[in-house]
Amino acid sequence: MCTTCGCGNDDTLINGIAVSRRNHKRSVNQDDSAASAKRFLFRTPQQHHHHDPAPAATTIRRIQIEQNILAKNDALAADNRAFFAEHSILALNLVSSPGSGKTTLLVRTIKSLKGQVAMAVIEGDQQTDNDAERIRATGVQAIQINTGKGCHLDAEMVGHALEQISLPDGALLFIENVGNLVCPAAFDLGEAAKVAVLSVTEGEDKPLKYPDMFRAARLLLLNKCDLLPYLSFDIELAESYARRVNPDIRIIRFSATSGEGMNDWMAWLDAQRTTITKRN
Ligand SMILES: Nc1nc2c(ncn2[C@@H]2O[C@H](COP(=O)(O)OP(=O)(O)O)[C@@H](O)[C@H]2O)c(=O)[nH]1
Ligand SMILES: [Mg+2]
Ligand SMILES: [Zn+2]
Ligand SMILES: [Zn+2]
């Protein structure tokens, strides 16, 4: 069980094969920490004060437990990050709700960059290898992680997937996270940046409702802009909400089907790759 959001991560499969999650030693009792962290994460401050006789002490304890749990993930994310740095690999973590168009935009991106850049994709879904198959159809390597009852990827899963990928130095690695605007925000996978995808059919207010995700992202792709004529979606309002929670976020109006925004997205990718190469 994932002790941060309480989701189950004991039945992870990578390309259909069960992963033994051995490094599960934690500095706090797991069951205790699971319950506490869940309470810590999903309680509002008001509820907290209302129900808790000693809010200061228990808040500190919960924060410590939460920090311990994420510390393990962060340590494994640091290993992944060191690996990427050593090989000048640009790793991007694509996050969004289900159906916003991550796989579609990846397929389009791969077709556009094929022959210029070595690429691979790590796909995260609870079940099926449909998305890995969609990527493989482009001729690019894809590893499917099935998280089972898990609602997000973690650094350990990505570390295991990396053992099965052979990438040349300077490659581009896309990690398509499980569709979920909440939990993936909390888990560093060792990526250079999170790229949030929000489609215009989801409503303008999502950055305000799920601020952690939009705060964690460096780039926002506002996808399905080809549908704008048929919707009442106010794109400027959506952009202002995203900037309210993250003033530094870069926003690209995008359509994975029409290709709108592809040039800006390609330029952004190129700039990120240049940064990675220069760092080494
Ligand atoms: N109209 C339109 N549909 C899109 C666009 N991008 C994706 N879709 C559709 O949205 C659905 C979900 O796309 P998918 O890539 O599977 O989303 P994911 O769950 O985020 O990977 C599919 O039916 C896609 O064809 C887009 O830019 N415009
Ligand atoms: Mg997908
Ligand atoms: Zn969760
Ligand atoms: Zn979880």
Side-chain angles (χ1 to χ4, degrees):
M1 157 132 153
C2 156
T3 47
T4 296
C5 75
C7 71
N9 68 353
D10 294 326
D11 48 356
T12 307
L13 302 177
I14 297 183
N15 282 351
I17 295 160
V19 184
S20 72
R21 295 168 69 87
R22 278 154 296 169
N23 309 322
H24 257 145
K25 288 188 212 100
R26 296 181 203 276
S27 50
V28 289
N29 176 286
Q30 252 186 298
D31 293 336
D32 179 44
S33 64
S36 303
K38 206 168 177 181
R39 280 197 299 275
F40 169 67
L41 274 177
F42 293 108
R43 256 186 183 187
T44 65
Q46 289 87 338
Q47 281 173 320
H48 182 95
H49 289 291
H50 185 72
H51 292 291
D52 208 315
T58 49
T59 299
I60 289 164
R61 180 170 148 66
R62 286 198 191 102
I63 289 169
Q64 283 169 344
I65 291 166
E66 166 70 0
Q67 282 172 346
N68 288 339
I69 294 158
L70 284 173
K72 184 205 161 206
N73 183 74
D74 286 347
L76 294 168
D79 292 347
N80 294 346
R81 188 164 280 118
F83 172 82
F84 297 140
E86 193 187 333
H87 296 283
S88 302
I89 291 171
L90 175 66
L92 297 173
N93 181 0
L94 272 81
V95 289
S96 81
S97 52
S100 61
K102 297 179 298 302
T103 311
T104 309
L105 86 82
L106 280 179
V107 166
R108 184 156 195 142
T109 304
I110 287 166
K111 284 181 178 161
S112 170
L113 284 176
K114 239 185 128 188
Q116 302 171 47
V117 188
M119 289 173 283
V121 178
I122 295 175
E123 282 290 346
D125 281 298
Q126 284 196 302
Q127 301 288 347
T128 85
D129 63 351
N130 293 357
D131 284 1
E133 283 301 325
R134 286 162 71 189
I135 300 296
R136 288 174 193 138
T138 67
V140 156
Q141 210 182 160
I143 305 285
Q144 180 76 53
I145 301 177
N146 287 133
T147 56
K149 298 202 184 339
C151 55
H152 54 85
L153 294 177
D154 66 31
E156 186 183 357
M157 297 172 191
V158 170
H160 283 298
L162 286 173
E163 290 164 9
Q164 301 188 28
I165 297 180
S166 55
L167 272 178
D169 289 9
L172 184 47
L173 175 70
F174 295 107
I175 305 168
E176 179 178 338
N177 217 314
V178 178
N180 173 354
L181 277 177
V182 184
C183 305
F187 287 81
D188 184 9
L189 307 179
E191 73 273 1
K194 287 187 176 69
V195 175
V197 182
L198 176 67
S199 62
V200 298
T201 50
E202 295 172 60
E204 300 90 349
D205 56 354
K206 293 306 168 290
L208 298 183
K209 288 182 172 170
Y210 303 97
D212 290 349
M213 186 59 87
F214 294 88
R215 216 169 273 139
R218 193 179 303 164
L219 172 68
L220 170 60
L221 294 174
L222 271 176
N223 193 32
K224 309 197 187 181
C225 277
D226 57 292
L227 299 178
L228 282 173
Y230 314 102
L231 304 168
S232 57
F233 186 86
D234 182 341
I235 194 157
E236 265 146 35
L237 188 61
E239 290 175 346
S240 76
Y241 287 159
R243 292 209 168 90
R244 191 185 297 175
V245 299
N246 181 356
D248 297 325
I249 199 163
R250 173 80 202 283
I251 304 174
I252 297 175
R253 296 181 184 189
F254 197 81
S255 167
T257 52
S258 80
E260 175 183 348
M262 273 296 282
N263 288 346
D264 287 347
W265 164 232
M266 290 295 128
W268 187 88
L269 283 175
D270 205 46
Q272 305 304 308
R273 289 186 61 241
T274 308
T275 315
I276 296 278
T277 330
K278 277 209 188 117
R279 218 179 280 146
N280 287 273

PDB file of all heavy atoms in Angstrom, residues 2 4-7 41-42 149-152 180 182-184 187, ligand 3:
ATOM      1  N   CYS A   2       0.484   2.194  -0.825  1.00  0.00           N
ATOM      2  CA  CYS A   2       1.175   3.483  -0.864  1.00  0.00           C
ATOM      3  C   CYS A   2       0.783   4.258   0.384  1.00  0.00           C
ATOM      4  O   CYS A   2      -0.388   4.463   0.661  1.00  0.00           O
ATOM      5  CB  CYS A   2       0.754   4.253  -2.108  1.00  0.00           C
ATOM      6  SG  CYS A   2       0.919   6.029  -2.014  1.00  0.00           S
ATOM      7  N   THR A   4       1.285   7.310   1.157  1.00  0.00           N
ATOM      8  CA  THR A   4       1.035   8.746   1.063  1.00  0.00           C
ATOM      9  C   THR A   4      -0.433   9.050   0.800  1.00  0.00           C
ATOM     10  O   THR A   4      -1.078   9.771   1.545  1.00  0.00           O
ATOM     11  CB  THR A   4       1.938   9.391   0.007  1.00  0.00           C
ATOM     12  OG1 THR A   4       3.276   9.231   0.456  1.00  0.00           O
ATOM     13  CG2 THR A   4       1.636  10.853  -0.146  1.00  0.00           C
ATOM     14  N   CYS A   5      -0.988   8.452  -0.274  1.00  0.00           N
ATOM     15  CA  CYS A   5      -2.404   8.740  -0.512  1.00  0.00           C
ATOM     16  C   CYS A   5      -3.276   7.547  -0.153  1.00  0.00           C
ATOM     17  O   CYS A   5      -4.489   7.619  -0.275  1.00  0.00           O
ATOM     18  CB  CYS A   5      -2.634   9.193  -1.941  1.00  0.00           C
ATOM     19  SG  CYS A   5      -2.570   7.869  -3.114  1.00  0.00           S
ATOM     20  N   GLY A   6      -2.654   6.429   0.272  1.00  0.00           N
ATOM     21  CA  GLY A   6      -3.437   5.280   0.703  1.00  0.00           C
ATOM     22  C   GLY A   6      -3.844   4.367  -0.439  1.00  0.00           C
ATOM     23  O   GLY A   6      -4.599   3.427  -0.240  1.00  0.00           O
ATOM     24  N   CYS A   7      -3.346   4.609  -1.655  1.00  0.00           N
ATOM     25  CA  CYS A   7      -3.698   3.744  -2.773  1.00  0.00           C
ATOM     26  C   CYS A   7      -2.872   2.461  -2.694  1.00  0.00           C
ATOM     27  O   CYS A   7      -1.852   2.401  -2.029  1.00  0.00           O
ATOM     28  CB  CYS A   7      -3.462   4.452  -4.105  1.00  0.00           C
ATOM     29  SG  CYS A   7      -1.735   4.694  -4.554  1.00  0.00           S
ATOM     30  N   LEU A  41      -3.264  14.203   4.625  1.00  0.00           N
ATOM     31  CA  LEU A  41      -3.384  14.731   3.263  1.00  0.00           C
ATOM     32  C   LEU A  41      -4.793  15.221   2.960  1.00  0.00           C
ATOM     33  O   LEU A  41      -4.966  16.181   2.245  1.00  0.00           O
ATOM     34  CB  LEU A  41      -3.021  13.641   2.257  1.00  0.00           C
ATOM     35  CG  LEU A  41      -1.544  13.516   1.943  1.00  0.00           C
ATOM     36  CD1 LEU A  41      -1.334  12.359   0.991  1.00  0.00           C
ATOM     37  CD2 LEU A  41      -0.988  14.792   1.349  1.00  0.00           C
ATOM     38  N   PHE A  42      -5.794  14.522   3.498  1.00  0.00           N
ATOM     39  CA  PHE A  42      -7.135  14.804   3.020  1.00  0.00           C
ATOM     40  C   PHE A  42      -8.008  15.556   4.009  1.00  0.00           C
ATOM     41  O   PHE A  42      -9.169  15.764   3.777  1.00  0.00           O
ATOM     42  CB  PHE A  42      -7.803  13.499   2.565  1.00  0.00           C
ATOM     43  CG  PHE A  42      -7.116  12.959   1.338  1.00  0.00           C
ATOM     44  CD1 PHE A  42      -6.314  11.838   1.389  1.00  0.00           C
ATOM     45  CD2 PHE A  42      -7.228  13.639   0.139  1.00  0.00           C
ATOM     46  CE1 PHE A  42      -5.661  11.377   0.252  1.00  0.00           C
ATOM     47  CE2 PHE A  42      -6.586  13.169  -1.003  1.00  0.00           C
ATOM     48  CZ  PHE A  42      -5.798  12.043  -0.944  1.00  0.00           C
ATOM     49  N   LYS A 149      -4.081  -1.125  -8.157  1.00  0.00           N
ATOM     50  CA  LYS A 149      -4.904  -0.235  -7.343  1.00  0.00           C
ATOM     51  C   LYS A 149      -4.245   1.124  -7.129  1.00  0.00           C
ATOM     52  O   LYS A 149      -4.807   1.998  -6.466  1.00  0.00           O
ATOM     53  CB  LYS A 149      -5.216  -0.897  -6.007  1.00  0.00           C
ATOM     54  CG  LYS A 149      -6.011  -2.194  -6.153  1.00  0.00           C
ATOM     55  CD  LYS A 149      -6.760  -2.546  -4.900  1.00  0.00           C
ATOM     56  CE  LYS A 149      -7.488  -3.884  -4.980  1.00  0.00           C
ATOM     57  NZ  LYS A 149      -7.751  -4.383  -6.352  1.00  0.00           N
ATOM     58  N   GLY A 150      -3.067   1.311  -7.667  1.00  0.00           N
ATOM     59  CA  GLY A 150      -2.340   2.570  -7.483  1.00  0.00           C
ATOM     60  C   GLY A 150      -2.865   3.662  -8.394  1.00  0.00           C
ATOM     61  O   GLY A 150      -3.277   3.392  -9.521  1.00  0.00           O
ATOM     62  N   CYS A 151      -2.834   4.897  -7.905  1.00  0.00           N
ATOM     63  CA  CYS A 151      -3.414   6.002  -8.677  1.00  0.00           C
ATOM     64  C   CYS A 151      -2.358   6.956  -9.207  1.00  0.00           C
ATOM     65  O   CYS A 151      -2.680   8.049  -9.659  1.00  0.00           O
ATOM     66  CB  CYS A 151      -4.425   6.747  -7.819  1.00  0.00           C
ATOM     67  SG  CYS A 151      -3.702   7.310  -6.286  1.00  0.00           S
ATOM     68  N   HIS A 152      -1.091   6.556  -9.142  1.00  0.00           N
ATOM     69  CA  HIS A 152       0.001   7.418  -9.618  1.00  0.00           C
ATOM     70  C   HIS A 152       1.241   6.561  -9.788  1.00  0.00           C
ATOM     71  O   HIS A 152       1.349   5.495  -9.188  1.00  0.00           O
ATOM     72  CB  HIS A 152       0.284   8.526  -8.595  1.00  0.00           C
ATOM     73  CG  HIS A 152       0.553   7.968  -7.222  1.00  0.00           C
ATOM     74  ND1 HIS A 152       1.798   7.537  -6.839  1.00  0.00           N
ATOM     75  CD2 HIS A 152      -0.279   7.709  -6.182  1.00  0.00           C
ATOM     76  CE1 HIS A 152       1.726   7.050  -5.604  1.00  0.00           C
ATOM     77  NE2 HIS A 152       0.470   7.133  -5.182  1.00  0.00           N
ATOM     78  N   ASN A 180      -4.878  11.438 -13.366  1.00  0.00           N
ATOM     79  CA  ASN A 180      -5.272  11.782 -11.990  1.00  0.00           C
ATOM     80  C   ASN A 180      -4.662  13.154 -11.710  1.00  0.00           C
ATOM     81  O   ASN A 180      -3.453  13.323 -11.795  1.00  0.00           O
ATOM     82  CB  ASN A 180      -4.691  10.712 -11.048  1.00  0.00           C
ATOM     83  CG  ASN A 180      -4.870  11.022  -9.574  1.00  0.00           C
ATOM     84  OD1 ASN A 180      -5.327  12.093  -9.193  1.00  0.00           O
ATOM     85  ND2 ASN A 180      -4.491  10.080  -8.733  1.00  0.00           N
ATOM     86  N   VAL A 182      -4.583  14.669  -8.905  1.00  0.00           N
ATOM     87  CA  VAL A 182      -4.243  14.883  -7.493  1.00  0.00           C
ATOM     88  C   VAL A 182      -2.882  14.271  -7.147  1.00  0.00           C
ATOM     89  O   VAL A 182      -1.880  14.978  -7.017  1.00  0.00           O
ATOM     90  CB  VAL A 182      -5.350  14.316  -6.573  1.00  0.00           C
ATOM     91  CG1 VAL A 182      -5.048  14.632  -5.109  1.00  0.00           C
ATOM     92  CG2 VAL A 182      -6.716  14.901  -6.955  1.00  0.00           C
ATOM     93  N   CYS A 183      -2.840  12.954  -7.030  1.00  0.00           N
ATOM     94  CA  CYS A 183      -1.688  12.284  -6.424  1.00  0.00           C
ATOM     95  C   CYS A 183      -0.372  12.394  -7.206  1.00  0.00           C
ATOM     96  O   CYS A 183       0.684  12.542  -6.592  1.00  0.00           O
ATOM     97  CB  CYS A 183      -2.030  10.834  -6.136  1.00  0.00           C
ATOM     98  SG  CYS A 183      -3.520  10.729  -5.106  1.00  0.00           S
ATOM     99  N   PRO A 184      -0.383  12.332  -8.549  1.00  0.00           N
ATOM    100  CA  PRO A 184       0.894  12.438  -9.255  1.00  0.00           C
ATOM    101  C   PRO A 184       1.654  13.736  -8.947  1.00  0.00           C
ATOM    102  O   PRO A 184       2.871  13.804  -9.130  1.00  0.00           O
ATOM    103  CB  PRO A 184       0.494  12.372 -10.736  1.00  0.00           C
ATOM    104  CG  PRO A 184      -0.761  11.557 -10.724  1.00  0.00           C
ATOM    105  CD  PRO A 184      -1.488  12.016  -9.477  1.00  0.00           C
ATOM    106  N   PHE A 187       4.466  13.141  -6.265  1.00  0.00           N
ATOM    107  CA  PHE A 187       5.523  12.146  -6.454  1.00  0.00           C
ATOM    108  C   PHE A 187       6.520  12.571  -7.524  1.00  0.00           C
ATOM    109  O   PHE A 187       6.210  12.571  -8.707  1.00  0.00           O
ATOM    110  CB  PHE A 187       4.908  10.780  -6.794  1.00  0.00           C
ATOM    111  CG  PHE A 187       4.264  10.141  -5.592  1.00  0.00           C
ATOM    112  CD1 PHE A 187       2.993  10.513  -5.203  1.00  0.00           C
ATOM    113  CD2 PHE A 187       4.969   9.224  -4.832  1.00  0.00           C
ATOM    114  CE1 PHE A 187       2.409   9.951  -4.069  1.00  0.00           C
ATOM    115  CE2 PHE A 187       4.401   8.657  -3.700  1.00  0.00           C
ATOM    116  CZ  PHE A 187       3.117   9.028  -3.313  1.00  0.00           C
TER     117      PHE A 187
HETATM  118 ZN    ZN B   3      -4.081   8.751  -4.766  1.00  0.00          ZN
END
